[in-house]
Amino acid sequence: MNNRAGAKRILREEPDTIMVEGMTLKRVSSILRTGVNAVWGCRDLSAVGHPYYILLIVTDRRIARTLISIFASSEKDTGRPAYLRNFLWGEHLCYLFPYRKERRLTDFAIGQVSAPAVGEQICVNLLLAGMESPLPYPLLLLAYRQGLVHIENDNSVYLTPNFDLTALDPGVSESDCVLACAELMLDILGSTRGKQLKSRKLLAKKVQRKSYAHFSEVYHDFNLTLSVRKTGSLPGRFFGFLAEHKDQIFRFILVLSLMCFAVAILMLLSYLIFGEFSLSKLFGRGLNMIGTENLAAK
């Protein structure tokens, strides 16, 4: 209780407006407050329409240095900046992000998965959001683990920067993010009859083995199944059928091969016993005898 009271007192004592390089950022909501950072919802009173932004305020110097290093050494190059701008506010390091309304994937995805194919499409959108996000991998992992993944009514997926930086780890790699993303995908695919989907079985197997190192590998596995549904041509549907039913086709071919092998053995036995390749010799006299007449002798 004392910590909460102290946090509320600090929030009340902080100014509600930050003036920085032509912007007047007015705090309209306090989204998050931790021991190392805060997240505000702000409006720019200097701009037409007073656009809304998310302001990440880093209050811990060690975390600030770590975050600067993470952004500077990020391996991701999506052609888009991870944030709109950064600046110092007193002793605090601030990052400004565009605002998007929260609509958490964990709360809304299950209700929107009306069919297994829809669940698969949401998973593809989730993958694309991770692949295309300019966020460095340490922040991307926080987004996955802290429920900062959201879904639109059209099943598109996006991330929000309302990070709790307490657990920020600069050593996080793409493979860590891929595993966290794949676990979310398994939850989505498991919410309906999608538990029987080939894509889910393959994903679960590879997640258990930690086989995925890159987003592109997961996307490739899913694209193999989705592309055949999207192809309207006869060859596309044919090869799609083969891809989706390859296990059943293999079993059928195996049984057929065993039957052919058995027939070949019977024919060989027929030749060894009767001196000719005639299966009828094994099962009866066939049409050689009609009553007392021997047709073979005529």
Side-chain angles (χ1 to χ4, degrees):
M1 293 299 294
N2 292 335
N3 291 337
R4 292 182 180 179
K8 291 181 180 179
R9 183 170 63 254
I10 292 173
L11 288 175
R12 283 197 298 266
E13 292 173 354
E14 288 175 343
D16 290 329
T17 304
I18 300 176
M19 307 288 293
V20 54
E21 299 179 8
M23 300 184 74
T24 304
L25 298 175
K26 172 71 174 179
R27 181 177 64 179
V28 296
S29 63
S30 295
I31 299 172
L32 178 69
R33 178 80 187 200
T34 73
V36 298
N37 73 283
V39 179
W40 290 1
C42 301
R43 286 190 180 277
D44 182 8
L45 302 183
S46 300
V48 177
H50 299 170
Y52 198 37
Y53 298 99
I54 295 296
L55 184 64
L56 178 67
I57 306 172
V58 186
T59 56
D60 183 272
R61 293 184 178 181
R62 181 184 61 83
I63 294 294
R65 289 193 297 268
T66 301
L67 195 55
I68 291 173
S69 176
I70 287 173
F71 278 120
S73 61
S74 176
E75 301 174 1
K76 301 193 72 176
D77 183 13
T78 61
R80 295 183 294 124
Y83 51 86
L84 298 176
R85 64 190 302 180
N86 67 331
F87 56 89
L88 288 175
W89 174 44
E91 297 181 351
H92 304 327
L93 177 64
C94 300
Y95 290 90
L96 192 68
F97 296 87
Y99 167 80
R100 293 197 69 171
K101 183 179 180 181
E102 292 189 358
R103 198 171 186 273
R104 293 183 183 272
L105 181 76
T106 51
D107 295 334
F108 291 92
I110 293 179
Q112 293 183 202
V113 180
S114 56
V118 176
E120 281 188 324
Q121 189 56 55
I122 293 175
C123 287
V124 170
N125 293 340
L126 177 59
L127 277 171
L128 291 175
M131 294 171 67
E132 297 173 356
S133 172
L135 290 172
Y137 293 123
L139 291 179
L140 184 59
L141 184 63
L142 290 183
Y144 288 139
R145 289 183 172 174
Q146 295 177 4
L148 305 179
V149 184
H150 307 272
I151 184 170
E152 292 279 18
N153 289 320
D154 63 358
N155 294 328
S156 59
V157 177
Y158 59 96
L159 310 173
T160 55
N162 307 345
F163 305 111
D164 176 356
L165 299 178
T166 304
L168 182 65
D169 180 3
V172 168
S173 65
E174 181 178 1
S175 60
D176 299 314
C177 296
V178 171
L179 180 60
C181 180
E183 290 172 348
L184 286 175
M185 294 167 63
L186 287 175
D187 290 340
I188 294 171
L189 294 176
S191 62
T192 65
R193 291 175 298 174
K195 292 180 180 180
Q196 305 304 320
L197 287 173
K198 299 292 184 182
S199 55
R200 188 183 191 279
K201 291 181 179 179
L202 178 61
L203 182 65
K205 183 184 299 183
K206 290 197 173 183
V207 167
Q208 185 177 13
R209 297 175 181 174
K210 297 184 178 180
S211 301
Y212 288 125
H214 305 285
F215 281 103
S216 57
E217 296 170 356
V218 188
Y219 182 78
H220 176 264
D221 285 348
F222 263 78
N223 194 48
L224 286 178
T225 59
L226 291 180
S227 61
V228 299
R229 293 193 180 105
K230 294 177 180 178
T231 301
S233 64
L234 183 59
R237 291 196 297 271
F238 173 71
F239 288 111
F241 177 84
L242 293 181
E244 292 190 6
H245 299 85
K246 59 183 179 181
D247 291 342
Q248 295 93 323
I249 294 174
F250 173 78
R251 286 193 293 268
F252 173 76
I253 293 176
L254 179 62
V255 171
L256 185 61
S257 300
L258 292 175
M259 292 176 62
C260 292
F261 178 75
V263 170
I265 294 297
L266 290 175
M267 291 180 67
L268 178 61
L269 291 175
S270 174
Y271 176 78
L272 294 176
I273 296 172
F274 300 107
E276 58 180 285
F277 291 106
S278 175
L279 292 178
S280 63
K281 294 289 186 179
L282 294 176
F283 302 105
R285 296 189 300 176
L287 296 177
N288 288 337
M289 295 293 296
I290 300 180
T292 59
E293 295 293 327
N294 188 344
L295 298 181
K298 295 184 177 181

Short mmCIF file of all heavy atoms in Angstrom, two decimals, residues 149-209:
data_model
loop_
_atom_site.label_atom_id
_atom_site.label_comp_id
_atom_site.label_asym_id
_atom_site.label_seq_id
_atom_site.Cartn_x
_atom_site.Cartn_y
_atom_site.Cartn_z
N VAL A 149 0.10 -7.22 -27.79
CA VAL A 149 -0.27 -7.62 -29.15
C VAL A 149 -1.78 -7.45 -29.28
O VAL A 149 -2.54 -7.94 -28.43
CB VAL A 149 0.13 -9.07 -29.44
CG1 VAL A 149 -0.18 -9.44 -30.88
CG2 VAL A 149 1.59 -9.30 -29.11
N HIS A 150 -2.22 -6.78 -30.34
CA HIS A 150 -3.63 -6.42 -30.48
C HIS A 150 -4.15 -6.85 -31.85
O HIS A 150 -3.37 -7.07 -32.79
CB HIS A 150 -3.81 -4.92 -30.30
CG HIS A 150 -3.22 -4.41 -29.02
ND1 HIS A 150 -3.92 -4.38 -27.83
CD2 HIS A 150 -1.98 -3.93 -28.74
CE1 HIS A 150 -3.15 -3.89 -26.87
NE2 HIS A 150 -1.96 -3.62 -27.40
N ILE A 151 -5.48 -6.95 -31.96
CA ILE A 151 -6.10 -7.42 -33.19
C ILE A 151 -7.26 -6.49 -33.58
O ILE A 151 -8.04 -6.07 -32.72
CB ILE A 151 -6.60 -8.87 -33.03
CG1 ILE A 151 -7.16 -9.40 -34.35
CG2 ILE A 151 -7.62 -9.00 -31.91
CD1 ILE A 151 -7.44 -10.90 -34.31
N GLU A 152 -7.34 -6.18 -34.87
CA GLU A 152 -8.44 -5.37 -35.39
C GLU A 152 -9.62 -6.27 -35.73
O GLU A 152 -9.52 -7.50 -35.72
CB GLU A 152 -7.99 -4.62 -36.66
CG GLU A 152 -6.95 -3.54 -36.40
CD GLU A 152 -7.57 -2.24 -35.89
OE1 GLU A 152 -8.74 -2.27 -35.42
OE2 GLU A 152 -6.89 -1.22 -35.94
N ASN A 153 -10.76 -5.65 -36.06
CA ASN A 153 -11.93 -6.41 -36.46
C ASN A 153 -11.70 -7.21 -37.74
O ASN A 153 -12.34 -8.23 -37.97
CB ASN A 153 -13.13 -5.48 -36.65
CG ASN A 153 -13.64 -4.93 -35.33
OD1 ASN A 153 -13.70 -5.65 -34.33
ND2 ASN A 153 -14.00 -3.66 -35.30
N ASP A 154 -10.78 -6.71 -38.60
CA ASP A 154 -10.48 -7.41 -39.85
C ASP A 154 -9.38 -8.45 -39.67
O ASP A 154 -8.85 -8.97 -40.66
CB ASP A 154 -10.09 -6.42 -40.94
CG ASP A 154 -8.81 -5.64 -40.59
OD1 ASP A 154 -8.26 -5.85 -39.49
OD2 ASP A 154 -8.37 -4.83 -41.42
N ASN A 155 -9.02 -8.75 -38.42
CA ASN A 155 -8.02 -9.76 -38.07
C ASN A 155 -6.57 -9.33 -38.31
O ASN A 155 -5.66 -10.15 -38.17
CB ASN A 155 -8.29 -11.10 -38.79
CG ASN A 155 -9.58 -11.74 -38.35
OD1 ASN A 155 -9.99 -11.60 -37.19
ND2 ASN A 155 -10.25 -12.44 -39.25
N SER A 156 -6.34 -8.09 -38.68
CA SER A 156 -4.97 -7.60 -38.75
C SER A 156 -4.43 -7.43 -37.33
O SER A 156 -5.19 -7.23 -36.38
CB SER A 156 -4.90 -6.27 -39.51
OG SER A 156 -5.71 -5.29 -38.87
N VAL A 157 -3.11 -7.55 -37.18
CA VAL A 157 -2.47 -7.58 -35.87
C VAL A 157 -1.47 -6.43 -35.77
O VAL A 157 -0.78 -6.12 -36.75
CB VAL A 157 -1.77 -8.93 -35.63
CG1 VAL A 157 -1.03 -8.94 -34.30
CG2 VAL A 157 -2.79 -10.07 -35.66
N TYR A 158 -1.38 -5.81 -34.60
CA TYR A 158 -0.43 -4.73 -34.38
C TYR A 158 0.07 -4.76 -32.93
O TYR A 158 -0.51 -5.43 -32.07
CB TYR A 158 -1.06 -3.36 -34.70
CG TYR A 158 -2.29 -3.02 -33.88
CD1 TYR A 158 -2.19 -2.24 -32.74
CD2 TYR A 158 -3.55 -3.47 -34.26
CE1 TYR A 158 -3.32 -1.93 -31.98
CE2 TYR A 158 -4.69 -3.17 -33.52
CZ TYR A 158 -4.57 -2.39 -32.39
OH TYR A 158 -5.68 -2.08 -31.64
N LEU A 159 1.17 -4.04 -32.69
CA LEU A 159 1.80 -4.00 -31.38
C LEU A 159 1.72 -2.59 -30.81
O LEU A 159 1.70 -1.61 -31.56
CB LEU A 159 3.26 -4.43 -31.48
CG LEU A 159 3.54 -5.74 -32.22
CD1 LEU A 159 5.05 -5.95 -32.39
CD2 LEU A 159 2.94 -6.92 -31.48
N THR A 160 1.71 -2.49 -29.48
CA THR A 160 1.74 -1.19 -28.82
C THR A 160 2.97 -1.11 -27.92
O THR A 160 3.45 -2.13 -27.41
CB THR A 160 0.47 -0.94 -27.99
OG1 THR A 160 0.28 -2.02 -27.07
CG2 THR A 160 -0.75 -0.82 -28.90
N PRO A 161 3.50 0.11 -27.69
CA PRO A 161 4.77 0.26 -26.96
C PRO A 161 4.61 0.55 -25.46
O PRO A 161 5.43 1.25 -24.89
CB PRO A 161 5.40 1.46 -27.67
CG PRO A 161 4.23 2.32 -28.01
CD PRO A 161 3.09 1.38 -28.31
N ASN A 162 3.58 -0.01 -24.84
CA ASN A 162 3.34 0.27 -23.42
C ASN A 162 4.21 -0.64 -22.54
O ASN A 162 3.71 -1.39 -21.70
CB ASN A 162 1.86 0.07 -23.08
CG ASN A 162 0.95 0.86 -24.00
OD1 ASN A 162 1.39 1.76 -24.70
ND2 ASN A 162 -0.32 0.52 -24.01
N PHE A 163 5.50 -0.57 -22.74
CA PHE A 163 6.43 -1.52 -22.14
C PHE A 163 6.66 -1.27 -20.65
O PHE A 163 6.82 -0.14 -20.22
CB PHE A 163 7.79 -1.47 -22.84
CG PHE A 163 7.74 -1.66 -24.32
CD1 PHE A 163 8.02 -0.61 -25.18
CD2 PHE A 163 7.40 -2.89 -24.87
CE1 PHE A 163 7.98 -0.78 -26.54
CE2 PHE A 163 7.36 -3.08 -26.24
CZ PHE A 163 7.65 -2.01 -27.08
N ASP A 164 6.73 -2.38 -19.91
CA ASP A 164 7.33 -2.38 -18.59
C ASP A 164 8.77 -2.83 -18.79
O ASP A 164 9.04 -4.00 -19.11
CB ASP A 164 6.57 -3.35 -17.68
CG ASP A 164 7.22 -3.49 -16.30
OD1 ASP A 164 8.31 -2.90 -16.07
OD2 ASP A 164 6.66 -4.21 -15.45
N LEU A 165 9.72 -1.91 -18.63
CA LEU A 165 11.12 -2.19 -18.96
C LEU A 165 11.89 -2.87 -17.84
O LEU A 165 13.10 -3.04 -17.94
CB LEU A 165 11.82 -0.88 -19.34
CG LEU A 165 11.25 -0.15 -20.57
CD1 LEU A 165 12.01 1.15 -20.79
CD2 LEU A 165 11.32 -1.04 -21.80
N THR A 166 11.20 -3.27 -16.80
CA THR A 166 11.87 -3.91 -15.66
C THR A 166 12.64 -5.15 -16.10
O THR A 166 13.76 -5.39 -15.63
CB THR A 166 10.84 -4.28 -14.58
OG1 THR A 166 10.10 -3.12 -14.20
CG2 THR A 166 11.54 -4.85 -13.35
N ALA A 167 12.06 -5.93 -16.99
CA ALA A 167 12.68 -7.19 -17.41
C ALA A 167 13.42 -7.05 -18.75
O ALA A 167 13.66 -8.06 -19.42
CB ALA A 167 11.61 -8.28 -17.52
N LEU A 168 13.78 -5.86 -19.14
CA LEU A 168 14.46 -5.65 -20.41
C LEU A 168 15.79 -6.40 -20.43
O LEU A 168 16.63 -6.23 -19.56
CB LEU A 168 14.71 -4.15 -20.63
CG LEU A 168 15.38 -3.75 -21.95
CD1 LEU A 168 14.48 -4.09 -23.13
CD2 LEU A 168 15.71 -2.26 -21.94
N ASP A 169 15.98 -7.22 -21.47
CA ASP A 169 17.18 -8.04 -21.60
C ASP A 169 17.82 -7.77 -22.96
O ASP A 169 17.27 -8.13 -24.00
CB ASP A 169 16.81 -9.52 -21.49
CG ASP A 169 18.02 -10.44 -21.62
OD1 ASP A 169 19.15 -9.93 -21.74
OD2 ASP A 169 17.82 -11.67 -21.60
N PRO A 170 18.99 -7.14 -22.97
CA PRO A 170 19.64 -6.82 -24.26
C PRO A 170 20.12 -8.04 -25.01
O PRO A 170 20.44 -7.94 -26.21
CB PRO A 170 20.81 -5.93 -23.83
CG PRO A 170 21.11 -6.33 -22.43
CD PRO A 170 19.79 -6.68 -21.82
N GLY A 171 20.17 -9.20 -24.37
CA GLY A 171 20.65 -10.41 -25.02
C GLY A 171 19.60 -11.18 -25.79
O GLY A 171 19.89 -12.23 -26.37
N VAL A 172 18.38 -10.68 -25.84
CA VAL A 172 17.30 -11.37 -26.55
C VAL A 172 17.58 -11.38 -28.05
O VAL A 172 17.99 -10.37 -28.63
CB VAL A 172 15.95 -10.69 -26.26
CG1 VAL A 172 14.86 -11.20 -27.21
CG2 VAL A 172 15.54 -10.93 -24.81
N SER A 173 17.35 -12.53 -28.68
CA SER A 173 17.59 -12.69 -30.11
C SER A 173 16.29 -12.96 -30.85
O SER A 173 15.22 -13.11 -30.24
CB SER A 173 18.57 -13.84 -30.36
OG SER A 173 17.98 -15.07 -29.95
N GLU A 174 16.38 -13.07 -32.16
CA GLU A 174 15.19 -13.35 -32.98
C GLU A 174 14.56 -14.68 -32.60
O GLU A 174 13.33 -14.82 -32.57
CB GLU A 174 15.56 -13.35 -34.46
CG GLU A 174 14.36 -13.60 -35.38
CD GLU A 174 14.71 -13.57 -36.84
OE1 GLU A 174 15.90 -13.36 -37.17
OE2 GLU A 174 13.80 -13.74 -37.68
N SER A 175 15.38 -15.68 -32.32
CA SER A 175 14.84 -17.00 -31.97
C SER A 175 13.97 -16.95 -30.72
O SER A 175 12.97 -17.66 -30.62
CB SER A 175 15.98 -18.00 -31.78
OG SER A 175 16.85 -17.60 -30.74
N ASP A 176 14.32 -16.11 -29.75
CA ASP A 176 13.50 -15.95 -28.54
C ASP A 176 12.13 -15.38 -28.90
O ASP A 176 11.10 -15.82 -28.39
CB ASP A 176 14.20 -15.03 -27.54
CG ASP A 176 15.54 -15.57 -27.08
OD1 ASP A 176 15.61 -16.76 -26.74
OD2 ASP A 176 16.51 -14.80 -27.06
N CYS A 177 12.13 -14.41 -29.79
CA CYS A 177 10.87 -13.79 -30.22
C CYS A 177 10.03 -14.75 -31.03
O CYS A 177 8.80 -14.79 -30.90
CB CYS A 177 11.16 -12.53 -31.03
SG CYS A 177 11.98 -11.21 -30.11
N VAL A 178 10.68 -15.54 -31.88
CA VAL A 178 9.96 -16.51 -32.70
C VAL A 178 9.26 -17.53 -31.82
O VAL A 178 8.10 -17.88 -32.05
CB VAL A 178 10.93 -17.21 -33.67
CG1 VAL A 178 10.24 -18.38 -34.37
CG2 VAL A 178 11.44 -16.23 -34.71
N LEU A 179 9.94 -18.00 -30.78
CA LEU A 179 9.35 -18.98 -29.88
C LEU A 179 8.14 -18.39 -29.15
O LEU A 179 7.09 -19.04 -29.04
CB LEU A 179 10.38 -19.46 -28.87
CG LEU A 179 9.91 -20.49 -27.84
CD1 LEU A 179 9.44 -21.75 -28.55
CD2 LEU A 179 11.03 -20.82 -26.86
N ALA A 180 8.26 -17.15 -28.66
CA ALA A 180 7.15 -16.50 -27.97
C ALA A 180 5.97 -16.28 -28.92
O ALA A 180 4.81 -16.48 -28.54
CB ALA A 180 7.60 -15.16 -27.38
N CYS A 181 6.26 -15.90 -30.15
CA CYS A 181 5.21 -15.69 -31.14
C CYS A 181 4.53 -17.02 -31.48
O CYS A 181 3.30 -17.09 -31.58
CB CYS A 181 5.81 -15.06 -32.40
SG CYS A 181 4.62 -14.75 -33.72
N ALA A 182 5.31 -18.08 -31.64
CA ALA A 182 4.75 -19.39 -31.98
C ALA A 182 3.85 -19.91 -30.86
O ALA A 182 2.84 -20.56 -31.14
CB ALA A 182 5.89 -20.37 -32.24
N GLU A 183 4.19 -19.62 -29.62
CA GLU A 183 3.33 -20.05 -28.51
C GLU A 183 1.98 -19.34 -28.56
O GLU A 183 0.94 -19.95 -28.26
CB GLU A 183 4.05 -19.79 -27.19
CG GLU A 183 5.25 -20.71 -26.97
CD GLU A 183 6.08 -20.33 -25.75
OE1 GLU A 183 5.84 -19.22 -25.22
OE2 GLU A 183 6.95 -21.11 -25.34
N LEU A 184 1.98 -18.06 -28.93
CA LEU A 184 0.72 -17.35 -29.12
C LEU A 184 -0.08 -17.97 -30.25
O LEU A 184 -1.31 -18.09 -30.18
CB LEU A 184 0.99 -15.87 -29.41
CG LEU A 184 1.44 -14.99 -28.25
CD1 LEU A 184 1.77 -13.59 -28.75
CD2 LEU A 184 0.38 -14.93 -27.16
N MET A 185 0.60 -18.34 -31.32
CA MET A 185 -0.07 -18.95 -32.46
C MET A 185 -0.72 -20.28 -32.07
O MET A 185 -1.84 -20.58 -32.50
CB MET A 185 0.94 -19.16 -33.59
CG MET A 185 1.46 -17.86 -34.18
SD MET A 185 2.91 -18.11 -35.24
CE MET A 185 2.23 -19.13 -36.53
N LEU A 186 -0.05 -21.07 -31.26
CA LEU A 186 -0.61 -22.34 -30.82
C LEU A 186 -1.88 -22.12 -30.00
O LEU A 186 -2.85 -22.89 -30.11
CB LEU A 186 0.42 -23.11 -29.99
CG LEU A 186 1.58 -23.73 -30.76
CD1 LEU A 186 2.58 -24.35 -29.81
CD2 LEU A 186 1.08 -24.78 -31.74
N ASP A 187 -1.89 -21.07 -29.18
CA ASP A 187 -3.10 -20.75 -28.40
C ASP A 187 -4.25 -20.40 -29.33
O ASP A 187 -5.40 -20.81 -29.10
CB ASP A 187 -2.82 -19.58 -27.46
CG ASP A 187 -1.89 -19.97 -26.32
OD1 ASP A 187 -1.76 -21.17 -26.04
OD2 ASP A 187 -1.28 -19.06 -25.72
N ILE A 188 -3.96 -19.64 -30.39
CA ILE A 188 -5.01 -19.24 -31.33
C ILE A 188 -5.55 -20.45 -32.08
O ILE A 188 -6.76 -20.66 -32.19
CB ILE A 188 -4.47 -18.19 -32.31
CG1 ILE A 188 -4.13 -16.90 -31.58
CG2 ILE A 188 -5.49 -17.92 -33.42
CD1 ILE A 188 -3.39 -15.89 -32.43
N LEU A 189 -4.65 -21.28 -32.59
CA LEU A 189 -5.06 -22.45 -33.38
C LEU A 189 -5.74 -23.50 -32.51
O LEU A 189 -6.54 -24.29 -33.01
CB LEU A 189 -3.84 -23.07 -34.07
CG LEU A 189 -3.18 -22.22 -35.15
CD1 LEU A 189 -1.93 -22.91 -35.67
CD2 LEU A 189 -4.14 -21.93 -36.29
N GLY A 190 -5.46 -23.49 -31.22
CA GLY A 190 -6.07 -24.47 -30.33
C GLY A 190 -7.41 -24.04 -29.77
O GLY A 190 -8.04 -24.78 -29.03
N SER A 191 -7.88 -22.84 -30.14
CA SER A 191 -9.13 -22.33 -29.58
C SER A 191 -10.36 -22.92 -30.27
O SER A 191 -11.47 -22.77 -29.79
CB SER A 191 -9.17 -20.80 -29.70
OG SER A 191 -9.12 -20.40 -31.06
N THR A 192 -10.19 -23.59 -31.42
CA THR A 192 -11.31 -24.22 -32.12
C THR A 192 -10.88 -25.61 -32.56
O THR A 192 -9.92 -26.18 -32.07
CB THR A 192 -11.73 -23.40 -33.36
OG1 THR A 192 -10.66 -23.41 -34.30
CG2 THR A 192 -12.04 -21.97 -32.98
N ARG A 193 -11.58 -26.14 -33.56
CA ARG A 193 -11.21 -27.44 -34.11
C ARG A 193 -9.85 -27.38 -34.80
O ARG A 193 -9.37 -28.38 -35.31
CB ARG A 193 -12.27 -27.91 -35.10
CG ARG A 193 -13.60 -28.28 -34.44
CD ARG A 193 -14.63 -28.61 -35.50
NE ARG A 193 -14.88 -27.45 -36.36
CZ ARG A 193 -15.66 -27.49 -37.45
NH1 ARG A 193 -16.21 -28.63 -37.82
NH2 ARG A 193 -15.85 -26.40 -38.16
N GLY A 194 -9.25 -26.21 -34.82
CA GLY A 194 -7.94 -26.06 -35.43
C GLY A 194 -6.87 -26.93 -34.78
O GLY A 194 -5.75 -27.00 -35.27
N LYS A 195 -7.22 -27.59 -33.64
CA LYS A 195 -6.26 -28.49 -33.01
C LYS A 195 -5.83 -29.60 -33.97
O LYS A 195 -4.78 -30.19 -33.83
CB LYS A 195 -6.88 -29.11 -31.75
CG LYS A 195 -7.11 -28.11 -30.62
CD LYS A 195 -7.72 -28.80 -29.41
CE LYS A 195 -7.96 -27.80 -28.27
NZ LYS A 195 -8.55 -28.45 -27.09
N GLN A 196 -6.68 -29.93 -34.95
CA GLN A 196 -6.38 -30.99 -35.89
C GLN A 196 -5.68 -30.50 -37.14
O GLN A 196 -5.38 -31.29 -38.04
CB GLN A 196 -7.70 -31.70 -36.27
CG GLN A 196 -8.50 -32.23 -35.09
CD GLN A 196 -7.68 -33.17 -34.23
OE1 GLN A 196 -6.92 -33.98 -34.73
NE2 GLN A 196 -7.83 -33.06 -32.92
N LEU A 197 -5.43 -29.20 -37.24
CA LEU A 197 -4.78 -28.67 -38.43
C LEU A 197 -3.35 -29.18 -38.54
O LEU A 197 -2.63 -29.31 -37.56
CB LEU A 197 -4.76 -27.13 -38.37
CG LEU A 197 -6.09 -26.42 -38.60
CD1 LEU A 197 -5.92 -24.94 -38.33
CD2 LEU A 197 -6.59 -26.64 -40.01
N LYS A 198 -2.96 -29.45 -39.79
CA LYS A 198 -1.59 -29.87 -40.04
C LYS A 198 -0.61 -28.79 -39.60
O LYS A 198 0.46 -29.08 -39.06
CB LYS A 198 -1.40 -30.16 -41.54
CG LYS A 198 -2.27 -31.27 -42.07
CD LYS A 198 -1.85 -32.60 -41.50
CE LYS A 198 -2.68 -33.73 -42.12
NZ LYS A 198 -2.34 -35.04 -41.55
N SER A 199 -0.98 -27.53 -39.83
CA SER A 199 -0.09 -26.43 -39.47
C SER A 199 0.15 -26.39 -37.98
O SER A 199 1.27 -26.12 -37.52
CB SER A 199 -0.69 -25.09 -39.95
OG SER A 199 -2.00 -24.92 -39.44
N ARG A 200 -0.89 -26.67 -37.18
CA ARG A 200 -0.72 -26.64 -35.72
C ARG A 200 0.14 -27.80 -35.25
O ARG A 200 0.99 -27.64 -34.37
CB ARG A 200 -2.08 -26.68 -35.03
CG ARG A 200 -1.96 -26.45 -33.51
CD ARG A 200 -3.27 -26.56 -32.79
NE ARG A 200 -3.12 -26.09 -31.42
CZ ARG A 200 -2.62 -26.80 -30.42
NH1 ARG A 200 -2.22 -28.04 -30.64
NH2 ARG A 200 -2.52 -26.29 -29.21
N LYS A 201 -0.08 -28.98 -35.83
CA LYS A 201 0.72 -30.14 -35.43
C LYS A 201 2.19 -29.91 -35.72
O LYS A 201 3.06 -30.21 -34.89
CB LYS A 201 0.21 -31.39 -36.16
CG LYS A 201 -1.17 -31.85 -35.72
CD LYS A 201 -1.58 -33.10 -36.48
CE LYS A 201 -2.96 -33.59 -36.04
NZ LYS A 201 -3.37 -34.80 -36.79
N LEU A 202 2.48 -29.38 -36.92
CA LEU A 202 3.87 -29.12 -37.28
C LEU A 202 4.47 -28.04 -36.38
O LEU A 202 5.61 -28.17 -35.92
CB LEU A 202 3.94 -28.68 -38.74
CG LEU A 202 5.33 -28.31 -39.27
CD1 LEU A 202 6.27 -29.50 -39.17
CD2 LEU A 202 5.23 -27.81 -40.71
N LEU A 203 3.69 -27.00 -36.12
CA LEU A 203 4.18 -25.90 -35.27
C LEU A 203 4.48 -26.40 -33.86
O LEU A 203 5.52 -26.09 -33.28
CB LEU A 203 3.15 -24.77 -35.24
CG LEU A 203 3.52 -23.53 -34.44
CD1 LEU A 203 4.72 -22.84 -35.07
CD2 LEU A 203 2.34 -22.56 -34.38
N ALA A 204 3.55 -27.19 -33.30
CA ALA A 204 3.74 -27.71 -31.94
C ALA A 204 4.98 -28.58 -31.85
O ALA A 204 5.75 -28.51 -30.88
CB ALA A 204 2.51 -28.49 -31.51
N LYS A 205 5.19 -29.39 -32.88
CA LYS A 205 6.35 -30.29 -32.88
C LYS A 205 7.65 -29.48 -32.90
O LYS A 205 8.59 -29.77 -32.15
CB LYS A 205 6.28 -31.21 -34.09
CG LYS A 205 7.40 -32.24 -34.18
CD LYS A 205 7.32 -33.04 -35.46
CE LYS A 205 6.02 -33.81 -35.53
NZ LYS A 205 5.96 -34.66 -36.75
N LYS A 206 7.70 -28.45 -33.76
CA LYS A 206 8.94 -27.68 -33.89
C LYS A 206 9.15 -26.74 -32.70
O LYS A 206 10.29 -26.45 -32.34
CB LYS A 206 8.92 -26.89 -35.20
CG LYS A 206 9.05 -27.79 -36.43
CD LYS A 206 9.45 -27.01 -37.66
CE LYS A 206 9.74 -27.92 -38.82
NZ LYS A 206 10.21 -27.18 -40.02
N VAL A 207 8.08 -26.26 -32.10
CA VAL A 207 8.22 -25.43 -30.90
C VAL A 207 8.77 -26.27 -29.76
O VAL A 207 9.64 -25.81 -29.00
CB VAL A 207 6.86 -24.80 -30.51
CG1 VAL A 207 6.92 -24.22 -29.11
CG2 VAL A 207 6.49 -23.71 -31.51
N GLN A 208 8.28 -27.48 -29.63
CA GLN A 208 8.77 -28.36 -28.58
C GLN A 208 10.26 -28.63 -28.74
O GLN A 208 11.01 -28.71 -27.75
CB GLN A 208 7.99 -29.68 -28.59
CG GLN A 208 8.35 -30.62 -27.45
CD GLN A 208 7.51 -31.89 -27.47
OE1 GLN A 208 6.83 -32.19 -28.45
NE2 GLN A 208 7.54 -32.64 -26.40
N ARG A 209 10.70 -28.76 -29.98
CA ARG A 209 12.12 -29.01 -30.25
C ARG A 209 12.93 -27.72 -30.34
O ARG A 209 14.15 -27.78 -30.51
CB ARG A 209 12.27 -29.77 -31.58
CG ARG A 209 11.63 -31.15 -31.57
CD ARG A 209 11.71 -31.78 -32.96
NE ARG A 209 11.09 -33.09 -33.00
CZ ARG A 209 10.93 -33.80 -34.12
NH1 ARG A 209 11.35 -33.30 -35.27
NH2 ARG A 209 10.36 -34.98 -34.09
#
